[in-house]
Amino acid sequence: MIRNLSAPGKLLPRSFYETRPELVAPRLLGKVLIHRAGAAMMAGRIVEAEAYLGPHNEPPDPAAHSHRGPTPRNLVLFGLPGHAYVYSIYGMYFCLNISCEKKGQAGCVLLRALEPIAGLEQMAANRGVADGAARSNGFAKRLTSGPSRLCQALGVLRTSHNGLDVTRANSPLQVRDDGFSVEEAVATARIGINETNAAVDWPLRFAVPGNPCVSGPKNLKGKRVPIP
DNA sequence: GTGATGATCTTCT
DNA sequence: GAAGATCATCACG
């Protein structure tokens, strides 16, 4: 039982997000995503993230939701950086992004996997994990290794979380720096980008090398890069 | 371990 | 009307 509800470390300021997504994504590795829901607090360390570039970028990123300009769905991305963009995918799931770059430039970072830190019982309940499974080996990994899994585990919904400012101390959704430092990242192509898409090979997916909570196959074929 | 398949619905064309 | 930044489950090796 987690009695101390104080969040660890310090809140990341808006300036952290006010730059290009391909810089923000690797820098977010090792930071802590926190969701407070009533008396419950759930937290996980970000171990995988993908950058999606805004339409002003050269060349533009055809895989990004924002690449055809603002629509009612993606409006959050064109606003101030440091806001949550939550959308529903395949009818049944949600994905959580954080808007980047200054107002009017719609870059963002998709959070793809966390390493659970706090509130694991609540996460398991949110995901409907049975007691037996919750005690089995590798259960923590299956809670949050995937963009929609982590939304389910933290209880992030489009209706209540889209557009939230993650840089405010009283926000239910925050990203904090607790001093944990990641030395380097693995950069690979993004997941789920069709080969008909010109951006299929862009190395904009960043993960913590060797971390068991990273989604997908274990050996990432990508190259090691320093954190920019 | 990998690979195929179905569930399900919002969004934009 | 089609596609989609996905996941659980099942078959098979």
Side-chain angles (χ1 to χ4, degrees), chain A residues 46-144:
Chain A
I46 298 168
V47 297
E48 183 182 352
E50 286 179 356
Y52 286 86
L53 313 182
H56 63 286
N57 210 82
E58 191 51 49
D61 179 1
H65 280 188
S66 60
H67 89 279
R68 286 183 192 278
T71 67
R73 170 170 68 155
N74 65 25
L75 204 54
V76 172
L77 297 178
F78 290 86
L80 287 173
H83 286 254
Y85 169 52
V86 184
Y87 67 92
S88 73
I89 185 72
Y90 298 119
M92 0 168 45
Y93 298 113
F94 297 109
C95 291
L96 169 63
N97 301 249
I98 301 177
S99 63
C100 297
E101 303 186 275
K102 62 188 181 189
K103 187 172 179 172
Q105 303 193 335
C108 68
V109 171
L110 168 70
L111 303 184
R112 286 196 56 90
L114 307 177
E115 181 179 321
I117 295 176
L120 272 71
E121 288 185 7
Q122 184 66 50
M123 291 185 193
N126 288 347
R127 297 228 331 119
V129 176
D131 273 0
R135 272 185 281 276
S136 70
N137 214 8
F139 116 94
K141 163 184 162 54
R142 293 177 52 81
L143 282 178
T144 52

Side-chain angles (χ1 to χ4, degrees), chain A residues 6 8 21 29 31 36 54 86 95 102 112 114 151-152 161 177 187 202 214 216 223:
Chain A
S6 69
L29 298 179
K31 303 298 186 286
R36 284 199 191 88
V86 184
C95 291
K102 62 188 181 189
R112 286 196 56 90
L114 307 177
C151 285
Q152 236 177 33
H161 297 83
D177 181 357
W202 296 9
V214 172
K223 81 173 186 195

